[in-house]
Amino acid sequence: VIIAIDGPSGAGKGTVARYLADQFNLKSLDTGLLYRVVAKYSLQQGLTPDQPTEILKIAQTISVDDVNQEGLRGEEVAARASQIAVIPDVRAVLNQIQRDFAHADLDHYAGVILDGRDIGTAICPDADCKLYLTADPETRALRRLQQEGQTCPATVQKMMADRDQRDTMRPAAPLAMAKDAYLLDTTYLTIDEACQKASYYIQNSCLQGTRSA
Ligand code: DC
């Protein structure tokens, strides 16, 4: 079973993905973290987004295990991740890591769940279930603000708007809802309600006959 979750930052992808992973015994990957790892290392090396050859070299050295490290969550790394995500060669390398993850040995898991921007459209177009989470920009900014302990709402909202614009407008695999995705607007939902709705959809539309954990 492959479940794909896409949507902009702050829509609730991560929270819903963790819930579903637990409930349905799925191996999960937050694919944005791969971009963040490359962003963090490129910041540490003092590279700028207009050095694609150097950034590609970094991408070629990372593995899926690198997502388990500190220092990936801040807005500076997020902004840089979005900037390097426009580089097609970098995407190609990170795409391969994601596809390998999606099709690797499942061990004791019942399937995989990946969340990101292009999972349903580019990484796993044949996923069994596709969810597209969204929420209005003010709500998404507020959630980020609370998660990251930032103090300036206007700054966070501006950085998110820039990121949304870049992620949506880039030529290479832009953020988009797959035609066969289920749309879940979480603006007025509590975390619990969003998770329940996603779970209900998956249980009843995609996984009929599959036992949950
Ligand atoms: O989900 P996130 O905020 O951690 O993602 C950081 C950036 O990585 C996002 O702004 C765009 C890029 N990204 C991407 O292009 N494709 C993905 N599947 C996941 C993230």
Side-chain angles (χ1 to χ4, degrees), residues 4 8 39 49 59 71 76 86 98 107 120 127-128 130 157 170 208-209:
E76 187 191 15
V86 306
Q98 294 167 64
D107 301 322
D128 302 278
K130 297 181 186 178
Q157 205 166 336
R170 68 176 180 229
Q208 278 165 347

Side-chain angles (χ1 to χ4, degrees), residues 4 6 117-125 130 173-179:
D6 290 303
R117 301 290 188 290
D118 61 345
I119 309 302
T121 52
I123 303 295
C124 301
K130 297 181 186 178
L175 168 64
M177 179 169 148
K179 285 193 190 70

Side-chain angles (χ1 to χ4, degrees), residues 9-212:
S9 159
K13 301 188 299 290
T15 307
V16 167
R18 279 191 297 278
Y19 178 87
L20 297 175
D22 261 11
Q23 189 185 9
F24 296 109
N25 186 30
L26 306 169
K27 201 163 67 135
S28 79
L29 178 63
D30 171 350
T31 64
L33 289 177
L34 292 169
Y35 289 88
R36 287 173 182 253
V37 169
V38 179
K40 178 182 164 186
Y41 293 164
S42 66
L43 283 165
Q44 283 173 342
Q45 294 183 23
L47 299 173
T48 54
D50 58 5
Q51 293 178 280
T53 312
E54 304 307 317
I55 295 171
L56 176 61
K57 280 186 196 149
I58 295 175
Q60 285 164 336
T61 66
I62 75 159
S63 82
V64 77
D65 298 326
D66 289 321
V67 302
N68 303 310
Q69 63 174 287
E70 301 287 307
L72 300 178
R73 294 286 172 191
E75 276 302 323
E76 187 191 15
V77 171
R80 181 56 59 91
S82 166
Q83 288 165 338
I84 62 164
V86 306
I87 306 170
D89 289 345
V90 170
R91 297 198 71 80
V93 172
L94 301 188
N95 286 353
Q96 194 55 51
I97 296 176
Q98 294 167 64
R99 291 194 182 111
D100 290 347
F101 177 89
H103 298 106
D105 195 1
L106 283 175
D107 301 322
H108 61 285
Y109 292 102
V112 294
I113 183 164
L114 291 88
D115 73 274
R117 301 290 188 290
D118 61 345
I119 309 302
T121 52
I123 303 295
C124 301
D126 298 330
D128 302 278
C129 288
K130 297 181 186 178
L131 293 176
Y132 188 90
L133 265 61
T134 190
D136 71 32
E138 293 76 21
T139 304
R140 294 192 287 111
L142 196 65
R143 289 174 184 165
R144 272 287 165 275
L145 209 67
Q146 287 162 348
Q147 274 172 359
E148 290 169 13
Q150 300 263 0
T151 47
C152 180
T155 307
V156 172
Q157 205 166 336
K158 165 84 174 70
M159 289 181 90
M160 278 182 73
D162 290 348
R163 211 138 72 84
D164 284 354
Q165 160 89 1
R166 210 179 298 113
D167 294 346
T168 315
M169 302 310 287
R170 68 176 180 229
L175 168 64
M177 179 169 148
K179 285 193 190 70
D180 49 349
Y182 173 73
L183 177 65
L184 183 55
D185 185 332
T186 66
T187 306
Y188 301 108
L189 300 180
T190 62
I191 289 176
D192 203 42
E193 287 166 342
C195 291
Q196 294 303 329
K197 274 191 185 248
S199 168
Y200 183 85
Y201 167 71
I202 285 173
Q203 187 83 68
N204 292 289
S205 302
C206 314
L207 299 188
Q208 278 165 347
T210 307
R211 220 157 40 89
S212 63

